[in-house]
Amino acid sequence: MKRNIVLAKGRSLPIREYPLMMGIVNVTPDSFSDGGRYATVDQAVERAVALVAQGADILDLGAESTRPGATPVGEQEEMDRLLPVLQAVVKQTTVPISVDTMKSRVAREALHVGASIINDVTAMRFDPDMAAVVAQSAAGIVMMHMQGMPTTMQESPRYDSVVDDVRMFFVERIAAAERAGIAKSQIVLDPGFGFGKLLIHNLELLNHLSSFDQLGCPMLVGLSRKAFLGKILDRPVQDREWGTAAAVALAVDRGASIIRVHDVANMRDVVMVAAAVRAATHTSKQEDYA
């Protein structure tokens, strides 16, 4: 059974029978989905408050785009974008706040201001000091699988077996985190849909998501409006909500613990129905063998 997720400042999040909803707040001018829409502090705070009202259990703030081909942002610029928004959001909401960063100094400052989770797309491989920051703060840490880096990750991703390769990556990163003094109860895993993966890789990972349960950590999935959905549907990013809904329902059925989305209100309905069906199915199986 999955445990509560331990967060910074003595907080924790229960892993319940239906997944937690993580609402996305991008404070970047070049995000693939909503770049520039929440570039000011007031816009970002308004968006954060709205997502919580829609049912977000966690807010995920990002100040550096990690879309395919994105240009890296300097440490100071990332903090200049992020920290004023984070300071304001902390005053306006009570839900745990995750900060999407791969830089240890940004993470340290964000945790000091009030964040309680670090969402690192490099799984603490980019910055060698990140693990120490997470260990010392007892923050939650989302470790995502990504082949390559955002600037080049979609050029020619290759796997012997994407499911096996991602599983072995997680085993190695969990071990590295524990060696650094990070408790397993702090760790959340993210298979990294769209990060160094072709269409077939994303589909295989979604189909076999439940195979990662054996690792003993909650699984976060970020499927919202992703490019692989656009390839299936032949639709632009703003028209992928129905495709997102289908993918989210499948992820819930396969055991996802946290769903990271732009549209919390509608996707929460999808999650609740899919989780109810999954729970009823498991109950029926148990009764059949009672």
Side-chain angles (χ1 to χ4, degrees), residues 18 59 74 84 127 129 262 279:
Y18 55 94
L59 292 172
D127 187 331
D129 294 327
H262 299 86

Side-chain angles (χ1 to χ4, degrees), residues 219-264:
M219 187 65 58
L220 179 152
V221 297
L223 296 158
S224 189
R225 306 175 186 172
K226 287 291 177 77
F228 83 92
L229 299 174
K231 289 184 179 180
I232 295 170
L233 302 171
D234 191 24
R235 292 185 183 276
V237 65
Q238 66 270 19
D239 294 331
R240 297 175 189 164
E241 287 306 309
W242 285 109
T244 297
V248 164
L250 290 167
V252 173
D253 181 64
R254 286 151 175 77
S257 296
I258 305 173
I259 304 293
R260 183 180 183 271
V261 292
H262 299 86
D263 178 6
V264 170

Side-chain angles (χ1 to χ4, degrees), residues 120-271:
D120 187 343
V121 298
T122 73
M124 304 192 297
R125 294 175 298 156
F126 175 78
D127 187 331
D129 294 327
M130 182 64 88
V133 170
V134 173
Q136 290 163 11
S137 64
I141 176 70
V142 180
M143 298 197 296
M144 192 188 79
H145 175 274
M146 174 172 58
Q147 191 177 96
M149 290 295 284
T151 50
T152 60
M153 63 186 179
Q154 288 303 110
E155 290 181 0
S156 58
R158 297 176 183 275
Y159 297 89
D160 293 328
S161 164
V162 66
V163 176
D164 290 342
D165 290 356
V166 171
R167 184 185 298 108
M168 299 232 359
F169 172 85
F170 283 152
V171 169
E172 185 276 325
R173 294 318 298 158
I174 291 170
E178 291 183 318
R179 286 196 300 272
I182 298 170
K184 199 169 185 179
S185 56
Q186 294 170 245
I187 299 172
V188 176
L189 303 175
D190 179 350
F193 290 100
F195 283 80
K197 296 169 184 77
L198 302 176
L199 172 60
I200 187 60
H201 301 141
N202 290 303
L203 296 178
E204 288 180 1
L205 280 172
L206 182 54
N207 197 32
H208 296 283
L209 193 66
S210 60
S211 69
F212 299 118
D213 282 352
Q214 62 189 272
L215 298 173
C217 296
M219 187 65 58
L220 179 152
V221 297
L223 296 158
S224 189
R225 306 175 186 172
K226 287 291 177 77
F228 83 92
L229 299 174
K231 289 184 179 180
I232 295 170
L233 302 171
D234 191 24
R235 292 185 183 276
V237 65
Q238 66 270 19
D239 294 331
R240 297 175 189 164
E241 287 306 309
W242 285 109
T244 297
V248 164
L250 290 167
V252 173
D253 181 64
R254 286 151 175 77
S257 296
I258 305 173
I259 304 293
R260 183 180 183 271
V261 292
H262 299 86
D263 178 6
V264 170
N266 288 332
M267 293 306 131
R268 186 175 184 274
D269 287 352
V270 173
V271 165

